[in-house]
Amino acid sequence: MTKTEWISDFQEEADKILAYVERNVRNHKDKASEMNTRLRAYRDIQIEKIKLKSRKETWDKETFLNEILCLTYAFYIIMLTYRNKVWKYEYMAFSRRIGEIWEPFCRLPFEYPIRPLRMIKPPAFETVQEQIRSVTASYIDSLGLDKTIQEELKRQYEIPWTMVDSGGIKLGLDLHFEQNGIHYNCDFKSGFSSNEKGNTNRLLLVASIYHYLGETEKTVLFVRQNEDENNHYLQMLKNSPYWQVYCAEESYSVMKQFTGFDMRQWLDTHADWTNDIGAELRQHLADNGLLKYLTW
């Protein structure tokens, strides 16, 4: 189906869901939650239908991915439009939501790639921790020092580990895949604002751990906004030795190199956020200076 047909299809379903929540749900937050839950369930059903149809008709990879992207884009259009009907978007809520949907949308060409790649799981920090300990202990043993000195060095080395809450350190990012023998550990960010200090420090920590694991581990950061629209937290990551940072158009170019799919071209051809969203939401975003977040 075309983008327009998918939007119409999701809109018809959303009208039914809206009628239900207006009758049965009182709180605006609960209405929004129920709308999103039911729309996601409908999306998942349609995706399974596409998978079945593509197998029966032996679609090529690009035809299949294009259909998934059209469906997902239509889902986003209707999800944003109808959420605003039951609960008007505030500035922070809308900017956060755009970040939440940009990442999984950009993941789709990685999940259904044209060029070969393999999704992988990130390592557990506990495994990396034991590896570091083992390497260090072996090094101390190789120094030829007195046994008592060796044991004291190991004891001193263990002290900082007792201060580390290994359960609080997660090496999982938004996307992990292997291509040509390299493990790529990727994160997606809509943009960096004044409240990103904690997240920036976490990203530096996680990337430094991957850096320790060797040259087969690369950390890549994709940012939706242009570089000059972000603050100094982005520059901290870009100037570090750990992250390969790509912003806006450069992000899509690198994604194409990995996946073989031109997301930039797809968006230019199919995505027209300002005109595809409902008139009520469009006016609300314009009145509140939020249309800029629809620049993908």
Side-chain angles (χ1 to χ4, degrees):
M1 290 177 9
T2 65
K3 175 195 75 172
T4 302
E5 289 171 330
W6 274 119
I7 291 176
S8 177
D9 183 74
F10 272 96
Q11 185 170 12
E12 182 177 342
E13 183 67 18
D15 283 337
K16 298 175 186 175
I17 298 170
L18 179 62
Y20 170 83
V21 300
E22 292 290 10
R23 289 194 310 267
N24 298 282
V25 184
R26 293 178 180 243
N27 183 281
H28 62 281
K29 293 182 181 180
D30 292 338
K31 287 181 179 181
S33 177
E34 188 69 16
M35 285 289 307
N36 287 340
T37 298
R38 288 172 178 260
L39 277 173
R40 286 192 181 96
Y42 184 75
R43 173 204 60 186
D44 293 344
I45 291 172
Q46 301 313 307
I47 287 177
E48 289 306 312
K49 289 181 178 179
I50 289 175
K51 289 180 178 179
L52 180 61
K53 185 177 177 64
S54 69
R55 287 194 293 267
K56 285 184 176 180
E57 300 179 1
T58 61
W59 294 0
D60 60 58
K61 293 180 179 180
E62 193 152 355
T63 298
F64 174 76
L65 178 55
N66 180 72
E67 192 73 13
I68 293 292
L69 288 169
C70 279
L71 178 153
T72 304
Y73 174 79
F75 164 65
Y76 287 164
I77 288 292
I78 298 304
M79 181 181 66
L80 293 172
T81 297
Y82 279 74
R83 195 280 199 183
N84 196 68
K85 288 180 181 292
V86 298
W87 186 10
K88 299 297 183 187
Y89 272 113
E90 296 175 344
Y91 191 94
M92 288 302 297
F94 190 74
S95 63
R96 183 170 57 250
R97 177 49 60 91
I98 292 300
E100 291 170 351
I101 66 176
W102 186 69
E103 175 261 315
F105 194 76
C106 291
R107 275 177 54 99
L108 288 171
F110 291 90
E111 294 173 358
Y112 308 106
I114 309 303
R115 185 170 294 158
L117 60 84
R118 179 175 64 90
M119 300 297 247
I120 59 176
K121 293 182 178 180
F125 177 73
E126 291 81 357
T127 302
V128 176
Q129 185 182 48
E130 286 306 312
Q131 179 181 337
I132 297 172
R133 283 172 158 167
S134 177
V135 169
T136 303
S138 296
Y139 175 72
I140 292 174
D141 290 339
S142 73
L143 295 176
L145 299 173
D146 179 82
K147 196 70 174 177
T148 303
I149 296 176
Q150 288 184 6
E151 292 304 316
E152 179 59 20
L153 284 174
K154 291 177 181 178
R155 189 187 72 82
Q156 292 289 338
Y157 177 71
E158 282 297 318
I159 292 175
W161 286 113
T162 65
M163 304 176 187
V164 176
D165 176 15
S166 61
I169 300 177
K170 306 297 183 185
L171 298 181
L173 298 170
D174 292 328
L175 172 68
H176 301 266
F177 68 94
E178 183 272 332
Q179 189 174 63
N180 298 325
I182 301 295
H183 291 179
Y184 294 95
N185 308 284
C186 310
D187 217 55
F188 293 82
K189 288 290 293 181
S190 181
F192 283 80
S193 55
S194 59
N195 63 345
E196 290 292 338
K197 181 178 180 180
N199 186 51
T200 300
N201 289 338
R202 174 188 173 272
L203 290 175
L204 286 171
L205 171 63
V206 169
S208 69
I209 295 172
Y210 279 115
H211 183 76
Y212 166 82
L213 293 176
E215 294 183 357
T216 58
E217 301 287 342
K218 303 294 183 184
T219 45
V220 180
L221 179 64
F222 297 115
V223 183
R224 181 188 62 85
Q225 291 180 334
N226 290 310
E227 184 174 345
D228 59 5
E229 295 175 354
N230 296 275
N231 64 17
H232 64 284
Y233 289 122
L234 175 63
Q235 294 305 317
M236 287 175 61
L237 296 172
K238 187 173 183 179
N239 294 332
S240 77
Y242 307 127
W243 282 99
Q244 298 175 2
V245 177
Y246 304 103
C247 297
E249 302 306 313
E250 193 176 16
S251 284
Y252 297 120
S253 177
V254 174
M255 291 179 204
K256 180 182 177 182
Q257 292 174 28
F258 285 134
T259 67
F261 184 81
D262 194 339
M263 178 67 86
R264 176 71 276 160
Q265 184 182 60
W266 191 94
L267 289 169
D268 290 341
T269 302
H270 298 281
D272 185 5
W273 291 95
T274 304
N275 290 311
D276 287 336
I277 59 175
E280 181 182 353
L281 174 58
R282 180 167 55 250
Q283 188 61 53
H284 177 74
L285 298 180
D287 292 342
N288 290 274
L290 292 169
L291 283 174
K292 62 182 180 181
Y293 287 103
L294 297 180
T295 301
W296 284 25

